[in-house]
Amino acid sequence: MTTLDQLKAAKAACPALLRATTEQKNQALSAMADALLHHEADILLANQKDVAAARGTVSEVMIDRLRLDPSRIDGMVEGIRQVAALPDPVGRVLETVERPNGLRIEKTAVPMGVVAIVYESRPNVTSDAAALALKSGNVCVLRGGKEAFATANAITNALREGLAAAGLPQDCVSMIQDTSRDSVNVLMKAVGLVDLLIPRGGPGLIHACVQNALVPCIQTGTGICHLYVDESADQDMALNIIENAKASRPSVCNAAEVLLVHRKIAAEFLPKLRFRLERDRVRRGLQPVELRCDRRAAAVLDGMVAGPRDFDTEFLDYILAVAVVDSVDAAIDHIAAHSTGHSEAIITESEENARLFTSLVDSAAVYVNASTRFTDGGEFGLGCEMGISTQKLHARGPMGLRELTSYKYIIRGNGQIR
C-alpha cells in the first residue's frame, strides 16, 4: 500500500471515530494497552534488531534513546492508561454566547481529523501519539525513522490489534511503511487528507516540514535549554538541578544545553560544578559531563574553550556550554539570542529576579528553582504528549489532548432569520 493509499484509508476511518463515545474510546485504549503487554516479546525482539543495526553508527546516548526494555514498555502501557483516565476534550463547550435575538452560540471543541506525526528514534512516541490522538477523536498516521522502524511497526501492529478488539477501525492508527524521504514529502503535501502535521526530531527534519508543508504544521522539539544560576542562588540546589537537567537523560529535548552563571559567584561556584559533573560522577560510575566554557568561565576553570557554535547547539550528549554573565538582564539577553523557545530555568532566592526572568524570557516553559526536565506531558498532568511545541500558534509547550482539538460554532435557534 502506498503512502497516499494509507492516508486515504486513514481519512475514511474518521467518521467511525467521530461517532465513538468516550466509553468506547476508553475501551479501545485499554485494549491497546493490553495488546502492548501481550506482544511485549515481539516488540523487544524487533527492538533488539533495531539496536543492533544502529550500534556503531550513532552514539551510545542515542542508542539509549532507541532501546526498549520491559520497564520502558510498562511506562508506555501506563501512559496509555493515564490518557484513558483523562477527561474527553471532544464536545467541551469552550464559550457560550446568548444573542438578543435568541440565538445560542456554543464554541465547541472538535477533533482535528487526521494527525500525521513524523518522528525519529524514540519508539515510545508511537504509543503516546496513538493514545492521545484516539482519545481526542483524531486518526493517527505515524511515520517513524528507519533506525527504529522494526520497533515502531511492532508497536503499531499491537495497537491496531487492540483497536480491532474494541470494534474500531484499525486504520485509526497506522504506520507509514515507506521510510524514504518520499513519504515525508507526500505527508507535507497531502492537502485534504492530512489535517495537522507534527514533526518530532532533529532541526533538519523540523525545518524541512515547517518550510515546505502545504498542510498545517506545528514546530516541535529542538531544545537549546538554558539554566541561569543567579548570584543569590542556593548553590547546592543549583548543582542538583544542573546535574539532573543535563545528565539524567541528555538525549531528550528538555535536557539543558547551556549554563549561565552570575559573575559574582563564578569563582566559587564553577569549581564546585566541575567537581560535581566530572570527578564526582566518575567516582559514582557515571558518565562525566564535558564543559565547554566561554572566555570568562575558562579563566576560572582553565577548561576547554567553547567553539563558535557551542551556544547554539543541541548537543543531546554529555556536553554543557558554560558562560559567565554580569546580571539577570544579561542572562535574559543571552537566552533571547540563543534559545529555541523550549525551556529555560533560573535558580535564585530573589523574588524580583525570578519575576523579571519569568516575565521577559519568551519560551514555552520557564522555571524557577526546578529542572527543565519537567517539560513533559506526563509531568504536566497531560498523560503523555504529542510533542513540545516551540511556536505560539496553535499550541505551545507540551501538547496534550486539548491541543489536539480545534473548535467549531454550534448555533441553536427557534426559527430566527436575518
Side-chain angles (χ1 to χ4, degrees):
M1 185 181 287
T2 68
T3 300
L4 194 59
D5 289 335
Q6 287 189 265
L7 291 178
K8 291 177 179 177
K11 195 69 172 179
C14 286
L17 199 48
L18 284 173
R19 291 190 182 98
T21 64
T22 300
E23 183 181 2
Q24 288 171 321
K25 290 188 288 186
N26 288 342
Q27 288 173 349
L29 288 167
S30 179
M32 290 159 65
D34 291 342
L36 273 188
L37 286 175
H38 181 70
H39 289 284
E40 179 178 298
D42 298 330
I43 294 167
L44 290 176
L45 181 61
N47 185 247
Q48 289 170 12
K49 293 177 182 177
D50 281 335
V51 169
R55 196 172 295 282
T57 64
V58 298
S59 70
E60 281 301 313
V61 170
M62 299 309 289
I63 290 289
D64 178 67
R65 189 171 179 152
L66 171 61
R67 184 187 294 113
L68 286 181
D69 57 31
S71 67
R72 287 188 177 178
I73 291 180
D74 287 344
M76 292 159 59
V77 169
E78 179 59 23
I80 295 175
R81 299 201 193 284
Q82 287 178 359
V83 170
L86 292 172
D88 191 338
V90 178
R92 189 167 52 96
V93 177
L94 308 174
E95 186 178 351
T96 301
V97 176
E98 299 275 0
R99 298 298 296 149
N101 62 3
L103 286 178
R104 180 183 177 88
I105 303 171
E106 296 177 341
K107 185 179 181 180
T108 306
V110 297
M112 293 284 187
V114 174
V115 177
I117 304 95
V118 182
Y119 60 108
E120 293 174 343
S121 59
R122 292 181 64 188
N124 64 293
V125 172
T126 308
S127 60
D128 288 354
L132 287 167
L134 186 79
K135 183 63 180 270
S136 56
N138 294 293
V139 170
C140 178
V141 176
L142 300 152
R143 195 283 190 182
K146 60 183 178 181
E147 70 284 351
F149 178 76
T151 309
N153 207 41
I155 294 169
T156 303
N157 288 338
L159 298 176
R160 286 166 63 88
E161 182 180 293
L163 282 167
L168 287 177
Q170 287 191 326
D171 287 323
C172 288
V173 176
S174 59
M175 169 68 63
I176 298 295
Q177 298 298 298
D178 178 5
T179 59
S180 72
R181 292 183 180 179
D182 291 343
S183 62
V184 179
N185 289 332
V186 172
L187 293 176
M188 290 192 293
K189 295 174 171 56
V191 176
L193 294 175
V194 171
D195 297 288
L196 181 65
L197 175 64
I198 304 175
R200 290 187 60 168
L205 168 66
I206 295 168
H207 180 77
C209 289
V210 171
Q211 291 296 314
N212 298 305
L214 301 181
V215 300
C217 181
I218 295 227
Q219 185 170 336
T220 69
T222 305
I224 300 178
C225 302
H226 294 73
L227 303 173
Y228 166 58
V229 183
D230 192 31
E231 62 178 313
S232 67
D234 178 320
Q235 293 188 22
D236 289 335
M237 176 197 293
L239 291 170
N240 290 336
I241 290 172
I242 293 165
E243 183 174 19
N244 177 265
K246 175 70 263 183
S248 61
R249 199 169 182 195
S251 65
V252 293
C253 62
N254 58 22
E257 304 291 13
V258 178
L259 173 67
L260 307 174
V261 178
H262 195 286
R263 64 176 176 82
K264 288 186 178 179
I265 63 167
E268 176 188 3
F269 182 74
L270 289 176
K272 294 180 184 178
L273 174 76
R274 181 163 64 181
F275 177 82
R276 177 68 172 266
L277 295 186
E278 294 181 0
R279 288 174 54 191
D280 190 52
R281 284 183 62 81
V282 171
R283 179 186 63 80
R284 289 181 278 148
L286 301 172
Q287 174 78 32
V289 175
E290 175 187 320
L291 303 179
R292 297 187 182 177
C293 304
D294 77 342
R295 176 181 53 81
R296 298 166 78 183
V300 175
L301 292 179
D302 191 26
M304 178 181 291
V305 177
R309 296 295 303 164
D310 281 339
F311 289 96
D312 297 289
T313 297
E314 187 182 28
F315 297 113
L316 302 175
D317 206 342
Y318 291 96
I319 301 169
L320 183 65
V322 182
V324 174
V325 294
D326 291 326
S327 64
V328 64
D329 291 289
I332 292 166
D333 289 344
H334 187 288
I335 291 168
H338 299 278
S339 171
T340 54
H342 193 294
S343 301
E344 331 294 348
I346 181 173
I347 299 99
T348 186
E349 295 299 301
S350 165
E351 285 292 334
E352 175 60 22
N353 286 352
R355 184 199 62 77
L356 196 64
F357 191 88
T358 56
S359 297
L360 296 182
V361 169
D362 188 19
S363 292
V366 184
Y367 293 84
V368 178
N369 295 331
S371 170
T372 58
R373 288 281 285 111
F374 286 104
T375 307
D376 174 86
E379 296 293 338
F380 278 24
L382 306 179
C384 49
E385 85 213 9
M386 190 64 82
I388 309 291
S389 171
T390 53
Q391 63 188 51
K392 298 181 182 180
L393 295 174
H394 131 92
R396 196 179 198 193
M399 294 182 61
L401 294 173
R402 292 188 180 187
E403 288 73 30
L404 292 175
T405 61
S406 181
Y407 56 83
K408 65 183 175 186
Y409 292 97
I410 298 175
I411 303 95
R412 304 182 188 281
N414 55 5
Q416 289 89 338
I417 60 173
R418 181 174 179 180

PDB file of all heavy atoms in Angstrom, residues 361-382:
ATOM      1  N   VAL A 361      11.641  36.221  29.684  1.00  0.00           N
ATOM      2  CA  VAL A 361      12.115  35.080  28.888  1.00  0.00           C
ATOM      3  C   VAL A 361      10.936  34.531  28.088  1.00  0.00           C
ATOM      4  O   VAL A 361       9.917  34.127  28.652  1.00  0.00           O
ATOM      5  CB  VAL A 361      12.731  33.999  29.787  1.00  0.00           C
ATOM      6  CG1 VAL A 361      12.975  32.720  28.991  1.00  0.00           C
ATOM      7  CG2 VAL A 361      14.050  34.493  30.376  1.00  0.00           C
ATOM      8  N   ASP A 362      11.087  34.501  26.764  1.00  0.00           N
ATOM      9  CA  ASP A 362       9.980  34.152  25.867  1.00  0.00           C
ATOM     10  C   ASP A 362      10.116  32.714  25.378  1.00  0.00           C
ATOM     11  O   ASP A 362      10.442  32.441  24.239  1.00  0.00           O
ATOM     12  CB  ASP A 362       9.965  35.120  24.677  1.00  0.00           C
ATOM     13  CG  ASP A 362       8.729  34.945  23.803  1.00  0.00           C
ATOM     14  OD1 ASP A 362       7.737  34.367  24.292  1.00  0.00           O
ATOM     15  OD2 ASP A 362       8.767  35.381  22.643  1.00  0.00           O
ATOM     16  N   SER A 363       9.879  31.774  26.285  1.00  0.00           N
ATOM     17  CA  SER A 363       9.942  30.361  25.947  1.00  0.00           C
ATOM     18  C   SER A 363       8.667  29.668  26.397  1.00  0.00           C
ATOM     19  O   SER A 363       7.903  30.215  27.200  1.00  0.00           O
ATOM     20  CB  SER A 363      11.161  29.700  26.593  1.00  0.00           C
ATOM     21  OG  SER A 363      12.362  30.190  26.025  1.00  0.00           O
ATOM     22  N   ALA A 364       8.455  28.447  25.903  1.00  0.00           N
ATOM     23  CA  ALA A 364       7.219  27.733  26.210  1.00  0.00           C
ATOM     24  C   ALA A 364       7.109  27.377  27.687  1.00  0.00           C
ATOM     25  O   ALA A 364       6.015  27.351  28.247  1.00  0.00           O
ATOM     26  CB  ALA A 364       7.127  26.468  25.352  1.00  0.00           C
ATOM     27  N   ALA A 365       8.242  27.070  28.331  1.00  0.00           N
ATOM     28  CA  ALA A 365       8.245  26.728  29.752  1.00  0.00           C
ATOM     29  C   ALA A 365       9.380  27.482  30.429  1.00  0.00           C
ATOM     30  O   ALA A 365      10.526  27.412  29.976  1.00  0.00           O
ATOM     31  CB  ALA A 365       8.420  25.225  29.946  1.00  0.00           C
ATOM     32  N   VAL A 366       9.058  28.203  31.497  1.00  0.00           N
ATOM     33  CA  VAL A 366      10.056  28.993  32.221  1.00  0.00           C
ATOM     34  C   VAL A 366       9.975  28.593  33.695  1.00  0.00           C
ATOM     35  O   VAL A 366       8.922  28.703  34.316  1.00  0.00           O
ATOM     36  CB  VAL A 366       9.813  30.510  32.050  1.00  0.00           C
ATOM     37  CG1 VAL A 366      10.926  31.299  32.731  1.00  0.00           C
ATOM     38  CG2 VAL A 366       9.732  30.883  30.573  1.00  0.00           C
ATOM     39  N   TYR A 367      11.104  28.136  34.236  1.00  0.00           N
ATOM     40  CA  TYR A 367      11.152  27.561  35.572  1.00  0.00           C
ATOM     41  C   TYR A 367      11.863  28.476  36.564  1.00  0.00           C
ATOM     42  O   TYR A 367      12.799  29.187  36.205  1.00  0.00           O
ATOM     43  CB  TYR A 367      11.920  26.231  35.550  1.00  0.00           C
ATOM     44  CG  TYR A 367      11.245  25.130  34.782  1.00  0.00           C
ATOM     45  CD1 TYR A 367      11.386  25.021  33.397  1.00  0.00           C
ATOM     46  CD2 TYR A 367      10.479  24.170  35.435  1.00  0.00           C
ATOM     47  CE1 TYR A 367      10.767  24.009  32.689  1.00  0.00           C
ATOM     48  CE2 TYR A 367       9.858  23.146  34.739  1.00  0.00           C
ATOM     49  CZ  TYR A 367      10.002  23.064  33.364  1.00  0.00           C
ATOM     50  OH  TYR A 367       9.392  22.062  32.664  1.00  0.00           O
ATOM     51  N   VAL A 368      11.436  28.387  37.808  1.00  0.00           N
ATOM     52  CA  VAL A 368      12.146  28.999  38.933  1.00  0.00           C
ATOM     53  C   VAL A 368      12.507  27.879  39.897  1.00  0.00           C
ATOM     54  O   VAL A 368      11.630  27.179  40.412  1.00  0.00           O
ATOM     55  CB  VAL A 368      11.281  30.054  39.646  1.00  0.00           C
ATOM     56  CG1 VAL A 368      12.030  30.638  40.840  1.00  0.00           C
ATOM     57  CG2 VAL A 368      10.864  31.161  38.682  1.00  0.00           C
ATOM     58  N   ASN A 369      13.800  27.660  40.080  1.00  0.00           N
ATOM     59  CA  ASN A 369      14.309  26.670  41.039  1.00  0.00           C
ATOM     60  C   ASN A 369      13.795  25.259  40.773  1.00  0.00           C
ATOM     61  O   ASN A 369      13.379  24.538  41.686  1.00  0.00           O
ATOM     62  CB  ASN A 369      13.982  27.107  42.478  1.00  0.00           C
ATOM     63  CG  ASN A 369      14.685  28.387  42.872  1.00  0.00           C
ATOM     64  OD1 ASN A 369      15.757  28.689  42.368  1.00  0.00           O
ATOM     65  ND2 ASN A 369      14.069  29.160  43.758  1.00  0.00           N
ATOM     66  N   ALA A 370      13.805  24.854  39.510  1.00  0.00           N
ATOM     67  CA  ALA A 370      13.422  23.485  39.145  1.00  0.00           C
ATOM     68  C   ALA A 370      14.084  23.130  37.826  1.00  0.00           C
ATOM     69  O   ALA A 370      14.460  23.993  37.032  1.00  0.00           O
ATOM     70  CB  ALA A 370      11.907  23.350  39.031  1.00  0.00           C
ATOM     71  N   SER A 371      14.221  21.826  37.586  1.00  0.00           N
ATOM     72  CA  SER A 371      14.890  21.318  36.389  1.00  0.00           C
ATOM     73  C   SER A 371      14.022  21.464  35.154  1.00  0.00           C
ATOM     74  O   SER A 371      12.798  21.262  35.201  1.00  0.00           O
ATOM     75  CB  SER A 371      15.230  19.840  36.602  1.00  0.00           C
ATOM     76  OG  SER A 371      15.678  19.235  35.414  1.00  0.00           O
ATOM     77  N   THR A 372      14.652  21.746  34.029  1.00  0.00           N
ATOM     78  CA  THR A 372      13.935  21.803  32.750  1.00  0.00           C
ATOM     79  C   THR A 372      13.409  20.437  32.321  1.00  0.00           C
ATOM     80  O   THR A 372      12.569  20.352  31.414  1.00  0.00           O
ATOM     81  CB  THR A 372      14.849  22.340  31.638  1.00  0.00           C
ATOM     82  OG1 THR A 372      16.018  21.490  31.533  1.00  0.00           O
ATOM     83  CG2 THR A 372      15.282  23.761  31.914  1.00  0.00           C
ATOM     84  N   ARG A 373      13.864  19.376  32.967  1.00  0.00           N
ATOM     85  CA  ARG A 373      13.437  18.024  32.581  1.00  0.00           C
ATOM     86  C   ARG A 373      11.948  17.786  32.863  1.00  0.00           C
ATOM     87  O   ARG A 373      11.399  16.767  32.449  1.00  0.00           O
ATOM     88  CB  ARG A 373      14.287  16.995  33.322  1.00  0.00           C
ATOM     89  CG  ARG A 373      15.723  16.910  32.826  1.00  0.00           C
ATOM     90  CD  ARG A 373      15.840  16.090  31.531  1.00  0.00           C
ATOM     91  NE  ARG A 373      15.710  14.683  31.848  1.00  0.00           N
ATOM     92  CZ  ARG A 373      14.687  13.921  31.507  1.00  0.00           C
ATOM     93  NH1 ARG A 373      13.668  14.421  30.808  1.00  0.00           N
ATOM     94  NH2 ARG A 373      14.655  12.644  31.839  1.00  0.00           N
ATOM     95  N   PHE A 374      11.294  18.717  33.546  1.00  0.00           N
ATOM     96  CA  PHE A 374       9.861  18.550  33.805  1.00  0.00           C
ATOM     97  C   PHE A 374       8.997  18.964  32.617  1.00  0.00           C
ATOM     98  O   PHE A 374       7.779  18.756  32.654  1.00  0.00           O
ATOM     99  CB  PHE A 374       9.447  19.351  35.045  1.00  0.00           C
ATOM    100  CG  PHE A 374       9.902  18.740  36.328  1.00  0.00           C
ATOM    101  CD1 PHE A 374      10.981  19.270  37.019  1.00  0.00           C
ATOM    102  CD2 PHE A 374       9.264  17.647  36.867  1.00  0.00           C
ATOM    103  CE1 PHE A 374      11.420  18.709  38.209  1.00  0.00           C
ATOM    104  CE2 PHE A 374       9.683  17.071  38.053  1.00  0.00           C
ATOM    105  CZ  PHE A 374      10.767  17.607  38.735  1.00  0.00           C
ATOM    106  N   THR A 375       9.577  19.541  31.565  1.00  0.00           N
ATOM    107  CA  THR A 375       8.769  19.903  30.399  1.00  0.00           C
ATOM    108  C   THR A 375       8.407  18.625  29.654  1.00  0.00           C
ATOM    109  O   THR A 375       9.121  18.143  28.780  1.00  0.00           O
ATOM    110  CB  THR A 375       9.512  20.878  29.477  1.00  0.00           C
ATOM    111  OG1 THR A 375       9.964  21.997  30.241  1.00  0.00           O
ATOM    112  CG2 THR A 375       8.599  21.384  28.368  1.00  0.00           C
ATOM    113  N   ASP A 376       7.292  18.070  30.033  1.00  0.00           N
ATOM    114  CA  ASP A 376       6.891  16.738  29.582  1.00  0.00           C
ATOM    115  C   ASP A 376       5.394  16.586  29.840  1.00  0.00           C
ATOM    116  O   ASP A 376       4.889  17.050  30.869  1.00  0.00           O
ATOM    117  CB  ASP A 376       7.690  15.692  30.363  1.00  0.00           C
ATOM    118  CG  ASP A 376       7.250  14.271  30.090  1.00  0.00           C
ATOM    119  OD1 ASP A 376       7.738  13.687  29.117  1.00  0.00           O
ATOM    120  OD2 ASP A 376       6.421  13.752  30.862  1.00  0.00           O
ATOM    121  N   GLY A 377       4.704  15.964  28.905  1.00  0.00           N
ATOM    122  CA  GLY A 377       3.262  15.824  29.062  1.00  0.00           C
ATOM    123  C   GLY A 377       2.863  15.095  30.327  1.00  0.00           C
ATOM    124  O   GLY A 377       1.936  15.508  31.035  1.00  0.00           O
ATOM    125  N   GLY A 378       3.554  13.989  30.649  1.00  0.00           N
ATOM    126  CA  GLY A 378       3.233  13.243  31.855  1.00  0.00           C
ATOM    127  C   GLY A 378       3.457  14.064  33.103  1.00  0.00           C
ATOM    128  O   GLY A 378       2.632  14.065  34.020  1.00  0.00           O
ATOM    129  N   GLU A 379       4.577  14.801  33.149  1.00  0.00           N
ATOM    130  CA  GLU A 379       4.893  15.615  34.317  1.00  0.00           C
ATOM    131  C   GLU A 379       3.945  16.803  34.459  1.00  0.00           C
ATOM    132  O   GLU A 379       3.742  17.316  35.561  1.00  0.00           O
ATOM    133  CB  GLU A 379       6.338  16.117  34.238  1.00  0.00           C
ATOM    134  CG  GLU A 379       7.385  15.019  34.282  1.00  0.00           C
ATOM    135  CD  GLU A 379       7.435  14.296  35.615  1.00  0.00           C
ATOM    136  OE1 GLU A 379       6.977  14.871  36.618  1.00  0.00           O
ATOM    137  OE2 GLU A 379       7.913  13.148  35.650  1.00  0.00           O
ATOM    138  N   PHE A 380       3.357  17.242  33.358  1.00  0.00           N
ATOM    139  CA  PHE A 380       2.402  18.349  33.406  1.00  0.00           C
ATOM    140  C   PHE A 380       0.966  17.862  33.629  1.00  0.00           C
ATOM    141  O   PHE A 380       0.030  18.649  33.582  1.00  0.00           O
ATOM    142  CB  PHE A 380       2.454  19.150  32.100  1.00  0.00           C
ATOM    143  CG  PHE A 380       3.570  20.176  32.038  1.00  0.00           C
ATOM    144  CD1 PHE A 380       4.709  20.044  32.803  1.00  0.00           C
ATOM    145  CD2 PHE A 380       3.466  21.267  31.198  1.00  0.00           C
ATOM    146  CE1 PHE A 380       5.734  20.975  32.744  1.00  0.00           C
ATOM    147  CE2 PHE A 380       4.480  22.217  31.129  1.00  0.00           C
ATOM    148  CZ  PHE A 380       5.616  22.068  31.905  1.00  0.00           C
ATOM    149  N   GLY A 381       0.792  16.561  33.849  1.00  0.00           N
ATOM    150  CA  GLY A 381      -0.531  16.020  34.104  1.00  0.00           C
ATOM    151  C   GLY A 381      -1.359  15.797  32.853  1.00  0.00           C
ATOM    152  O   GLY A 381      -2.588  15.668  32.925  1.00  0.00           O
ATOM    153  N   LEU A 382      -0.690  15.716  31.694  1.00  0.00           N
ATOM    154  CA  LEU A 382      -1.408  15.533  30.434  1.00  0.00           C
ATOM    155  C   LEU A 382      -1.453  14.072  30.003  1.00  0.00           C
ATOM    156  O   LEU A 382      -1.942  13.759  28.924  1.00  0.00           O
ATOM    157  CB  LEU A 382      -0.731  16.362  29.324  1.00  0.00           C
ATOM    158  CG  LEU A 382      -0.534  17.853  29.617  1.00  0.00           C
ATOM    159  CD1 LEU A 382       0.171  18.531  28.460  1.00  0.00           C
ATOM    160  CD2 LEU A 382      -1.869  18.521  29.913  1.00  0.00           C
TER     161      LEU A 382
END
